[in-house]
Amino acid sequence: MLDLEVVPERSLGNEQWEFCLGMPISQAINIIRRYCRVIKNIHLCYCDYDPLAMDIIMNLTDDGIRLIFETESQRLKIIEVYDLSKVRLKYCGVHFNSPTVSPTNDQIEMSFGATHPGVFDPANQQFILNFRGLSFFFPSNDKLEHNYSHGLGSLQFSNGPPVVSKLCIYLGNCLSETKPPPLPMCCYQSKCYTDKVELISEDNEIKGIKVLIFGESGATNKHNVRRCVVEHDILFNDKTQDVMSALGAPCKIYYKDEDKMKIHAKVPEKKMFQEESDYFYNYFTLGIDILFDGSKHTVKKFVLHSNYPGHYDFNIYYRCNFELKAPVGEDCIVTPFTKWEKVEECLGDSYKKPVVLNRRSSTNATNPFGPTFCYGLNNLIIEVMPSNNYVASVTVFP
């Protein structure tokens, strides 16, 4: 049984790990992977046909914990403990829920102090006791609603004092209106993240991308660390050292062993034999891949990822917040939240049929998420998920 500390408006965790409000979903999954021997049976819930219609929910079924992530930012919005019998909980080092301590209304008031009387929810037949950034839910019946004026302590219960059935940790005073906070400093982990990515164009020709990134300020004192935002231009034909000077060292370098898309290239390019393999700089926290020419070591293309659940690459990358002006119309802006239908309206009947892309880890392996469609728009290749028509990634090339 997990023994966790509750910090209102901030987190749930222990000395080894912590789920913090504002934490990216990738970091939460990495915690679960690292402590898979104690955190087991995880269910990930999302809407496949419309991934922006509902929050992403990570259900820790063995521990009675539910992590709710805002679907656009993919950051932790609400921490919910819905089965208190499966976990020990404490506040300021003192348990208020354990096999020997029952989380009654008296215990909650003794542990957390006085607060407003609370409200009765007739739709769900429960009382809600609210603190800032923390709410406790007590099951009840509508007969008690009319006598509820001085808090739970003023009511007489035939079956003993009410016991907490659920608690929620969130930002602010209102659970129904809460939003995830900005990325907390404890989640930066000495890495950089994308704030915005745009195309750099000159005379209707794409020259590269403009990347607005943020990270830690680099202060020597950890208590003075602040958010620092910088802007860099990455151009085609830039050298590897130029890219590393702007974005830092990549998270990983991947060397291509084959190029399956070369068959779609021009005939002279098909016949070219290259001794040196092209390679990618993978910036997972930026949601960006940069392909370099194996011989010249210069930038050949960029790949920007949307990180949707239900896609083969989900959780490998963080979401890249790109805003790309597609070269097909004045008002056609491609973002991670763009559906292919909107691009089609700008194109009319001028686009070609898509290339079907079916990823798999090995020759005989299967991809449970199925293939995706890749549409070519001048200097862009837009990968679309057929299950919902959202943009999964965008490849930019000269």
Side-chain angles (χ1 to χ4, degrees):
M1 181 181 289
L2 297 178
D3 192 350
L4 305 176
E5 178 86 20
V6 171
V7 183
E9 213 171 16
R10 175 183 160 81
S11 65
L12 178 71
N14 55 31
E15 295 178 354
Q16 286 76 40
W17 53 265
E18 187 178 38
F19 293 124
C20 296
L21 295 177
M23 169 182 282
I25 189 171
S26 295
Q27 291 187 13
I29 294 176
N30 288 339
I31 289 176
I32 293 171
R33 282 178 171 174
R34 192 177 305 119
Y35 296 95
C36 59
R37 294 187 177 183
V38 294
I39 306 177
K40 303 176 182 179
N41 293 334
I42 312 302
H43 295 171
L44 186 69
C45 305
Y46 61 92
C47 183
D48 188 39
Y49 63 88
D50 190 357
L52 298 179
M54 61 173 282
D55 293 326
I56 302 172
I57 300 174
M58 195 180 301
N59 193 356
L60 284 61
T61 56
D62 283 6
D63 306 300
I65 299 172
R66 190 177 289 122
L67 306 177
I68 302 174
F69 297 84
E70 186 187 58
T71 183
E72 290 193 9
S73 65
Q74 294 188 341
R75 296 201 308 270
L76 185 55
K77 181 172 73 171
I78 300 172
I79 304 171
E80 179 183 305
V81 183
Y82 62 88
D83 191 345
L84 278 74
S85 65
K86 296 181 177 180
V87 63
R88 292 186 180 92
L89 299 174
K90 56 187 176 182
Y91 175 66
C92 294
V94 180
H95 285 94
F96 65 89
N97 173 68
S98 70
T100 58
V101 180
S102 181
T104 63
N105 63 303
D106 292 334
Q107 180 63 50
I108 297 303
E109 290 183 2
M110 184 175 68
S111 299
F112 292 87
T115 185
H116 299 289
V119 295
F120 179 77
D121 181 6
N124 297 305
Q125 293 295 294
Q126 61 187 1
F127 289 103
I128 307 173
L129 195 62
N130 295 310
F131 297 83
R132 181 172 179 82
L134 183 66
S135 293
F136 294 93
F137 297 78
F138 297 85
S140 187
N141 57 71
D142 54 1
K143 295 179 181 179
L144 298 172
E145 179 183 5
H146 304 293
N147 302 322
Y148 186 72
S149 59
H150 301 289
L152 287 172
S154 65
L155 301 177
Q156 298 296 322
F157 294 85
S158 58
N159 297 325
V163 177
V164 176
S165 61
K166 181 178 72 172
L167 71 85
C168 292
I169 304 171
Y170 54 93
L171 180 69
N173 291 313
C174 183
L175 177 61
S176 61
E177 298 177 1
T178 188
K179 298 288 184 182
L183 186 69
M185 296 305 301
C186 63
C187 294
Y188 276 66
Q189 300 178 351
S190 302
K191 300 182 185 299
C192 294
Y193 306 87
T194 53
D195 200 27
K196 189 177 181 181
V197 176
E198 297 177 318
L199 294 177
I200 300 175
S201 300
E202 184 179 321
D203 298 329
N204 294 325
E205 183 180 350
I206 297 177
K207 299 294 184 179
I209 59 173
K210 183 184 297 292
V211 185
L212 192 66
I213 61 177
F214 63 92
E216 296 171 308
S217 62
T220 55
N221 189 340
K222 66 178 181 179
H223 299 291
N224 295 327
V225 174
R226 296 182 180 179
R227 186 177 189 266
C228 178
V229 181
V230 294
E231 183 180 287
H232 291 290
D233 294 347
I234 312 296
L235 306 177
F236 293 114
N237 296 320
D238 275 356
K239 296 287 187 178
T240 54
Q241 56 265 34
D242 298 325
V243 174
M244 292 185 67
S245 297
L247 303 181
C251 302
K252 186 178 179 181
I253 300 177
Y254 173 74
Y255 289 87
K256 296 177 62 177
D257 54 358
E258 57 182 337
D259 190 353
K260 296 180 180 178
M261 298 300 290
K262 184 171 286 189
I263 192 172
H264 299 285
K266 298 176 182 178
V267 175
E269 296 181 8
K270 292 182 188 179
K271 295 181 178 180
M272 289 176 60
F273 178 77
Q274 188 171 324
E275 294 183 358
E276 299 292 337
S277 174
D278 292 346
Y279 53 93
F280 283 99
Y281 273 13
N282 304 124
Y283 291 93
F284 297 134
T285 59
L286 298 180
I288 299 174
D289 290 330
I290 302 178
L291 179 66
F292 289 91
D293 184 280
S295 300
K296 300 177 182 178
H297 305 288
T298 56
V299 174
K300 291 180 66 174
K301 67 175 67 171
F302 305 95
V303 185
L304 315 177
H305 299 271
S306 298
N307 192 43
Y308 275 111
H311 186 265
Y312 187 81
D313 289 335
F314 174 68
N315 195 50
I316 296 177
Y317 302 88
Y318 287 51
R319 173 165 288 166
C320 178
N321 296 309
F322 53 83
E323 292 184 15
L324 311 180
K325 185 179 181 302
V328 292
E330 292 295 329
D331 300 324
C332 189
I333 305 296
V334 180
T335 73
F337 316 115
T338 301
K339 299 194 76 168
W340 177 246
E341 288 91 334
K342 183 178 179 181
V343 182
E344 278 185 318
E345 293 176 1
C346 301
L347 291 173
D349 298 327
S350 61
Y351 67 94
K352 298 179 180 179
K353 291 184 178 181
V355 174
V356 180
L357 177 61
N358 192 4
R359 292 181 174 88
R360 58 187 66 188
S361 57
S362 61
T363 304
N364 296 320
T366 59
N367 179 356
F369 304 110
T372 55
F373 297 151
C374 296
Y375 296 88
L377 302 179
N378 296 338
N379 300 91
L380 303 179
I381 297 176
I382 300 179
E383 182 188 3
V384 177
M385 296 185 293
S387 60
N388 49 51
N389 275 349
Y390 276 99
V391 174
S393 71
V394 178
T395 302
V396 185
F397 56 93

PDB file of all heavy atoms in Angstrom, residues 338-350:
ATOM      1  N   THR A 338      -5.089  21.267 -35.465  1.00  0.00           N
ATOM      2  CA  THR A 338      -5.729  21.423 -36.768  1.00  0.00           C
ATOM      3  C   THR A 338      -6.235  20.072 -37.274  1.00  0.00           C
ATOM      4  O   THR A 338      -5.521  19.072 -37.208  1.00  0.00           O
ATOM      5  CB  THR A 338      -4.742  22.021 -37.785  1.00  0.00           C
ATOM      6  OG1 THR A 338      -4.287  23.297 -37.322  1.00  0.00           O
ATOM      7  CG2 THR A 338      -5.395  22.183 -39.152  1.00  0.00           C
ATOM      8  N   LYS A 339      -7.450  20.064 -37.801  1.00  0.00           N
ATOM      9  CA  LYS A 339      -7.979  18.866 -38.458  1.00  0.00           C
ATOM     10  C   LYS A 339      -7.738  18.994 -39.963  1.00  0.00           C
ATOM     11  O   LYS A 339      -7.701  20.094 -40.518  1.00  0.00           O
ATOM     12  CB  LYS A 339      -9.467  18.689 -38.158  1.00  0.00           C
ATOM     13  CG  LYS A 339      -9.777  18.509 -36.682  1.00  0.00           C
ATOM     14  CD  LYS A 339     -11.184  18.005 -36.461  1.00  0.00           C
ATOM     15  CE  LYS A 339     -11.314  16.539 -36.785  1.00  0.00           C
ATOM     16  NZ  LYS A 339     -12.596  15.965 -36.321  1.00  0.00           N
ATOM     17  N   TRP A 340      -7.594  17.858 -40.615  1.00  0.00           N
ATOM     18  CA  TRP A 340      -7.277  17.856 -42.043  1.00  0.00           C
ATOM     19  C   TRP A 340      -8.385  18.514 -42.858  1.00  0.00           C
ATOM     20  O   TRP A 340      -8.124  19.115 -43.911  1.00  0.00           O
ATOM     21  CB  TRP A 340      -7.028  16.436 -42.516  1.00  0.00           C
ATOM     22  CG  TRP A 340      -6.772  16.333 -43.988  1.00  0.00           C
ATOM     23  CD1 TRP A 340      -7.548  15.726 -44.927  1.00  0.00           C
ATOM     24  CD2 TRP A 340      -5.655  16.893 -44.699  1.00  0.00           C
ATOM     25  NE1 TRP A 340      -6.989  15.870 -46.172  1.00  0.00           N
ATOM     26  CE2 TRP A 340      -5.818  16.584 -46.059  1.00  0.00           C
ATOM     27  CE3 TRP A 340      -4.531  17.623 -44.306  1.00  0.00           C
ATOM     28  CZ2 TRP A 340      -4.918  16.969 -47.025  1.00  0.00           C
ATOM     29  CZ3 TRP A 340      -3.628  18.016 -45.284  1.00  0.00           C
ATOM     30  CH2 TRP A 340      -3.825  17.689 -46.620  1.00  0.00           C
ATOM     31  N   GLU A 341      -9.619  18.468 -42.388  1.00  0.00           N
ATOM     32  CA  GLU A 341     -10.716  19.087 -43.118  1.00  0.00           C
ATOM     33  C   GLU A 341     -10.481  20.588 -43.330  1.00  0.00           C
ATOM     34  O   GLU A 341     -10.827  21.138 -44.385  1.00  0.00           O
ATOM     35  CB  GLU A 341     -12.041  18.887 -42.373  1.00  0.00           C
ATOM     36  CG  GLU A 341     -12.564  17.467 -42.412  1.00  0.00           C
ATOM     37  CD  GLU A 341     -12.070  16.642 -41.235  1.00  0.00           C
ATOM     38  OE1 GLU A 341     -10.983  16.975 -40.701  1.00  0.00           O
ATOM     39  OE2 GLU A 341     -12.741  15.658 -40.886  1.00  0.00           O
ATOM     40  N   LYS A 342      -9.873  21.244 -42.332  1.00  0.00           N
ATOM     41  CA  LYS A 342      -9.607  22.682 -42.469  1.00  0.00           C
ATOM     42  C   LYS A 342      -8.578  22.946 -43.560  1.00  0.00           C
ATOM     43  O   LYS A 342      -8.702  23.916 -44.317  1.00  0.00           O
ATOM     44  CB  LYS A 342      -9.124  23.236 -41.127  1.00  0.00           C
ATOM     45  CG  LYS A 342      -8.884  24.729 -41.150  1.00  0.00           C
ATOM     46  CD  LYS A 342      -8.450  25.249 -39.795  1.00  0.00           C
ATOM     47  CE  LYS A 342      -8.189  26.755 -39.832  1.00  0.00           C
ATOM     48  NZ  LYS A 342      -7.746  27.270 -38.503  1.00  0.00           N
ATOM     49  N   VAL A 343      -7.557  22.085 -43.656  1.00  0.00           N
ATOM     50  CA  VAL A 343      -6.555  22.244 -44.711  1.00  0.00           C
ATOM     51  C   VAL A 343      -7.183  21.946 -46.071  1.00  0.00           C
ATOM     52  O   VAL A 343      -6.876  22.610 -47.066  1.00  0.00           O
ATOM     53  CB  VAL A 343      -5.352  21.324 -44.452  1.00  0.00           C
ATOM     54  CG1 VAL A 343      -4.275  21.517 -45.519  1.00  0.00           C
ATOM     55  CG2 VAL A 343      -4.762  21.578 -43.063  1.00  0.00           C
ATOM     56  N   GLU A 344      -8.059  20.968 -46.111  1.00  0.00           N
ATOM     57  CA  GLU A 344      -8.747  20.623 -47.367  1.00  0.00           C
ATOM     58  C   GLU A 344      -9.543  21.797 -47.916  1.00  0.00           C
ATOM     59  O   GLU A 344      -9.613  22.006 -49.134  1.00  0.00           O
ATOM     60  CB  GLU A 344      -9.675  19.424 -47.150  1.00  0.00           C
ATOM     61  CG  GLU A 344      -8.984  18.077 -47.195  1.00  0.00           C
ATOM     62  CD  GLU A 344      -9.979  16.940 -47.098  1.00  0.00           C
ATOM     63  OE1 GLU A 344     -10.917  17.041 -46.290  1.00  0.00           O
ATOM     64  OE2 GLU A 344      -9.824  15.946 -47.831  1.00  0.00           O
ATOM     65  N   GLU A 345     -10.160  22.562 -47.019  1.00  0.00           N
ATOM     66  CA  GLU A 345     -10.940  23.721 -47.466  1.00  0.00           C
ATOM     67  C   GLU A 345     -10.054  24.731 -48.188  1.00  0.00           C
ATOM     68  O   GLU A 345     -10.493  25.374 -49.154  1.00  0.00           O
ATOM     69  CB  GLU A 345     -11.614  24.384 -46.264  1.00  0.00           C
ATOM     70  CG  GLU A 345     -12.700  23.531 -45.617  1.00  0.00           C
ATOM     71  CD  GLU A 345     -13.276  24.194 -44.379  1.00  0.00           C
ATOM     72  OE1 GLU A 345     -12.821  25.321 -44.050  1.00  0.00           O
ATOM     73  OE2 GLU A 345     -14.164  23.603 -43.738  1.00  0.00           O
ATOM     74  N   CYS A 346      -8.814  24.887 -47.718  1.00  0.00           N
ATOM     75  CA  CYS A 346      -7.888  25.817 -48.372  1.00  0.00           C
ATOM     76  C   CYS A 346      -7.366  25.261 -49.697  1.00  0.00           C
ATOM     77  O   CYS A 346      -7.115  26.005 -50.644  1.00  0.00           O
ATOM     78  CB  CYS A 346      -6.705  26.112 -47.450  1.00  0.00           C
ATOM     79  SG  CYS A 346      -7.154  26.841 -45.859  1.00  0.00           S
ATOM     80  N   LEU A 347      -7.222  23.943 -49.748  1.00  0.00           N
ATOM     81  CA  LEU A 347      -6.641  23.310 -50.936  1.00  0.00           C
ATOM     82  C   LEU A 347      -7.638  23.143 -52.071  1.00  0.00           C
ATOM     83  O   LEU A 347      -7.275  23.203 -53.245  1.00  0.00           O
ATOM     84  CB  LEU A 347      -6.074  21.936 -50.568  1.00  0.00           C
ATOM     85  CG  LEU A 347      -4.844  21.919 -49.673  1.00  0.00           C
ATOM     86  CD1 LEU A 347      -4.524  20.484 -49.272  1.00  0.00           C
ATOM     87  CD2 LEU A 347      -3.651  22.532 -50.368  1.00  0.00           C
ATOM     88  N   GLY A 348      -8.900  22.906 -51.729  1.00  0.00           N
ATOM     89  CA  GLY A 348      -9.869  22.558 -52.754  1.00  0.00           C
ATOM     90  C   GLY A 348      -9.574  21.164 -53.289  1.00  0.00           C
ATOM     91  O   GLY A 348      -9.412  20.212 -52.528  1.00  0.00           O
ATOM     92  N   ASP A 349      -9.435  21.047 -54.606  1.00  0.00           N
ATOM     93  CA  ASP A 349      -9.136  19.744 -55.227  1.00  0.00           C
ATOM     94  C   ASP A 349      -7.687  19.668 -55.712  1.00  0.00           C
ATOM     95  O   ASP A 349      -7.351  18.817 -56.538  1.00  0.00           O
ATOM     96  CB  ASP A 349     -10.072  19.503 -56.421  1.00  0.00           C
ATOM     97  CG  ASP A 349     -11.532  19.443 -55.986  1.00  0.00           C
ATOM     98  OD1 ASP A 349     -11.776  18.962 -54.861  1.00  0.00           O
ATOM     99  OD2 ASP A 349     -12.401  19.893 -56.759  1.00  0.00           O
ATOM    100  N   SER A 350      -6.818  20.546 -55.190  1.00  0.00           N
ATOM    101  CA  SER A 350      -5.459  20.633 -55.731  1.00  0.00           C
ATOM    102  C   SER A 350      -4.469  19.683 -55.073  1.00  0.00           C
ATOM    103  O   SER A 350      -3.335  19.581 -55.530  1.00  0.00           O
ATOM    104  CB  SER A 350      -4.940  22.067 -55.577  1.00  0.00           C
ATOM    105  OG  SER A 350      -4.903  22.433 -54.205  1.00  0.00           O
TER     106      SER A 350
END
